[in-house]
Amino acid sequence: MNATLTDAEGASTAGSARELAARLPERGFFWLDLANASEDEYAAVAAALHLDDSLSSWLPRFGRSAHLESSPRYLRISAWADAGAQGIVEGHILYSPAWLITAFDGDALCTEAARQRFRELRDRIAVDPGYALLIVLNELLTGFYPRLERADELLDRLEDQIFLDPVAEQLLSLADLRRELSSLHRLLVPLRDRVKNVVTSLGRFPGISEEVWPAFQTYSERLAELVEVIDDYRQRTADAMEAHAANRANQQSEQINRLTVISWVFLPISFLTGYFGMNFDWAVNQLLSTRDAFLLLGVGLPLLSLVLTVLLFKSLGWLGAWRRKSKHAKRNRPDWVRRARHHRKHREGDTTATGRPANGR
C-alpha cells in the first residue's frame, strides 16, 4: 500500500496509487497521499486528474531544491517531512480548489496526524478547501519537533557528561548531531526564504481565500521559527564541542599537575639517594659505618623529607584539591549547562488552521 485517499467526509482508503487513481471521487474535495509510488503510478494519477506535462513530470521528480509556484489553477510546493529512522524525506504538494495531492519519496510520519486533522475540520474544508493545504503544511513542520526534542535531551545528557568527565565517545555523538542538524538546516532555509519571498511579494495565492490567507502567513512565520530553533541547537552543539575540547585540555593539565606533584615528592629523596650514593671513603667507612647512622641518615632523612613535603603541600592547600574541585563542580554548573532550555517556547492565544499552538506542540 503506497497511497491513501481521504474524501470530503474524512474517510480514508488505502491501496495502490493506480487503484485509487481509478476511484477518485467525482464530487467533493479529496486528498490523495502517495508514498514511494512508481513513475507509472504517478502517470496514472496525472491522467486521472488531467494534469499537463509540466505537473505530471514534476510530481515524481525528487532531489531538487525548495520550490513554490502558483498559477491560476494550481499551487505547487516542494517541502520536507520527518521520516523517523529514514531521516528526512522530500515531499511534493499540488493543490487546487478541487483536490490536494501529496507525494513523498518515503514514509512521512506526519501524514496520519494530518488525516486526523482533516477529519476533524472536514466541515470547514468543505466550505474552504484551502484549510486542507494548511493542515498538511503545518503538520509537516510539527513533525520535526519530536526530532528536535530528542536532540535537546541528547544535548542535556552530553553537556552534563562533558562537564564531569569528557571522553571521545561524547565528541562523536556531538559530531553526528551537528551533521544531522546541519542537513536539516540546509534543507529548510531555502524553503523558508522561498515561502517568505512569495508571501511578501504576491500578497495572496490563487485559490486561497482571504479567510485562509492569515493562516498561510502564520505558516511562514512558523517555518522561520523552526529554522531559528534549529540554528539555536546547532550553536548549542558547537558550544558543547568547544566545551569538550576545553575540558579535555583541563583534564590533561590536571594530570600533568599531578605528575608534577609526584615528582616534587620524590625530588628530595632522589637528591639524598644521589648524595649518599657517592662512594667517598670517609662517608662509607666513617659516616655510614654504623647501624645507627644508617637508620638516621638512610631511613630518617628520606622520611623527614617526605613529611616536610606533605606539610608544604598542606600549607599551600594542595592536599584534597582535586576532591574539592569535583564536589564543587557537581554543585556549580557553568552557564552553558545551567542556562534555561530556551528551545521550549510556549505561546498562548492564536492557533493555526490545524488547531495546534503556533509553536507546533
Side-chain angles (χ1 to χ4, degrees):
M1 302 297 182
N2 60 353
T4 303
L5 176 65
T6 305
D7 60 22
E9 299 299 323
S12 298
T13 304
S16 69
R18 187 181 297 276
E19 293 173 350
L20 296 181
R23 298 162 51 188
L24 296 179
E26 296 181 358
R27 299 179 60 184
F29 185 85
F30 64 88
W31 170 26
L32 179 61
D33 178 45
L34 308 174
N36 294 315
S38 65
E39 291 189 5
D40 292 340
E41 290 173 319
Y42 280 115
V45 172
L49 296 175
H50 307 289
L51 301 180
D52 57 36
D53 292 339
S54 62
L55 293 178
S56 60
S57 62
W58 171 76
L59 271 178
R61 194 168 66 241
F62 297 105
R64 297 178 178 269
S65 60
H67 183 83
L68 194 158
E69 181 180 344
S70 64
S71 67
R73 296 181 58 194
Y74 306 110
L75 174 64
R76 51 178 173 173
I77 304 173
S78 296
W80 282 266
D82 185 79
Q86 297 181 23
I88 308 300
V89 296
E90 184 179 353
H92 289 175
I93 303 172
L94 183 61
Y95 167 79
S96 80
W99 42 257
L100 174 66
I101 306 296
T102 56
F104 297 93
D105 62 346
D107 296 323
L109 299 182
C110 65
T111 53
E112 184 56 39
R115 280 190 283 271
Q116 177 62 30
R117 298 299 299 158
F118 189 101
R119 286 189 285 269
E120 294 173 359
L121 299 176
R122 60 182 181 272
D123 294 337
R124 186 180 296 184
I125 293 172
V127 177
D128 197 333
Y131 283 112
L133 174 62
L134 265 298
I135 286 173
V136 173
L137 291 177
N138 279 288
E139 288 298 336
L140 287 178
L141 297 186
T142 303
F144 287 112
Y145 281 94
R147 180 177 293 270
L148 296 180
E149 291 289 344
R150 292 191 295 270
D152 181 73
E153 294 172 0
L154 178 60
L155 281 170
D156 284 347
R157 184 169 63 254
L158 289 176
E159 284 171 344
D160 288 335
Q161 293 174 357
I162 287 170
F163 183 67
L164 296 176
D165 184 23
V167 295
E169 288 76 8
Q170 299 159 355
L171 191 60
L172 294 176
S173 298
L174 288 172
D176 291 339
L177 180 59
R178 184 179 64 175
R179 190 180 305 110
E180 177 183 347
L181 292 173
S182 297
S183 176
L184 185 57
H185 181 269
R186 187 168 55 252
L187 292 175
L188 292 181
V189 165
L191 179 61
R192 177 203 62 184
D193 296 340
R194 182 62 176 164
V195 171
K196 181 179 179 180
N197 291 338
V198 172
V199 168
T200 303
S201 61
L202 292 185
R204 187 149 59 91
F205 294 131
I208 302 296
S209 67
E210 294 183 359
E211 182 180 354
V212 176
W213 182 247
F216 200 95
Q217 293 174 314
T218 302
Y219 162 74
S220 177
E221 296 171 358
R222 286 194 62 207
L223 180 57
E225 179 184 314
L226 178 62
V227 173
E228 291 178 1
V229 172
I230 294 172
D231 281 336
D232 290 341
Y233 278 115
R234 293 174 68 212
Q235 183 59 49
R236 189 175 164 192
T237 304
D239 292 343
M241 296 181 75
E242 293 178 0
H244 183 279
N247 284 1
R248 286 285 290 179
N250 292 337
Q251 193 178 60
Q252 293 174 356
S253 177
E254 290 288 348
Q255 293 173 351
I256 294 174
N257 290 340
R258 292 175 187 178
L259 292 176
T260 302
V261 169
I262 293 174
S263 68
W264 275 43
V265 172
F266 287 96
L267 184 61
I269 299 176
S270 300
F271 170 76
L272 293 174
T273 302
Y275 180 81
F276 288 104
M278 296 183 291
N279 295 322
F280 295 109
D281 288 340
W282 68 270
V284 174
N285 296 326
Q286 299 179 21
L287 185 62
L288 301 176
S289 60
T290 64
R291 177 181 298 177
D292 293 339
F294 167 76
L295 293 176
L296 177 63
L297 301 176
V299 177
L301 278 180
L303 290 178
L304 179 61
S305 68
L306 178 62
V307 171
L308 292 176
T309 303
V310 171
L311 292 176
L312 176 62
F313 289 169
K314 185 176 181 180
S315 65
L316 295 175
W318 291 2
L319 291 180
W322 297 293
R323 184 180 298 112
R324 289 194 299 272
K325 286 182 181 179
S326 177
K327 291 181 179 179
H328 180 76
K330 292 179 180 179
R331 292 193 304 266
N332 300 278
R333 298 290 193 271
D335 291 339
W336 61 271
V337 174
R338 293 199 311 267
R339 68 174 180 263
R341 309 307 181 189
H342 55 276
H343 311 285
R344 310 185 187 280
K345 299 178 180 178
H346 296 280
R347 293 183 178 177
E348 298 181 354
D350 294 338
T351 58
T352 66
T354 63
R356 291 175 178 263
N359 66 354
R361 290 178 175 80

